Amino acid sequence: MTTSIQADIPDRLAQQAAILIRDGWANDLDEILIDALRRYLSSHSAELSEAFVREDLEWGLRGDG
């Protein structure tokens, strides 16, 4: 299953993506955007998990509850 989205991206990013596609590093813009979103979510997921752990530790050290 997939979901279609519409996004406005800066011209410079679109040009860089077009070069990657032209040079064979990606099949199309969809592939580039999916990979970029996957990497973004993966890296921010770790940051979010770390923030939750930090909050839990602080809660435990305070002895709340």
Side-chain angles (χ1 to χ4, degrees):
M1 178 180 263
T2 63
T3 299
S4 294
I5 61 169
Q6 180 179 340
D8 295 321
I9 60 173
D11 290 340
R12 183 71 180 136
L13 289 178
Q15 291 167 356
Q16 289 173 322
I19 291 169
L20 290 174
I21 295 164
R22 182 197 68 204
D23 292 347
W25 291 100
N27 292 319
D28 54 28
L29 186 57
D30 287 350
E31 183 179 321
I32 292 172
L33 294 175
I34 290 168
D35 185 51
L37 182 56
R38 184 178 292 117
R39 290 172 188 249
Y40 181 88
L41 293 174
S42 175
S43 68
H44 286 74
S45 175
E47 291 172 6
L48 187 57
S49 295
E50 185 177 311
F52 286 143
V53 168
R54 199 173 308 118
E55 286 178 15
D56 287 348
L57 285 172
E58 289 174 10
W59 177 85
L61 291 173
R62 285 192 312 265
D64 293 348

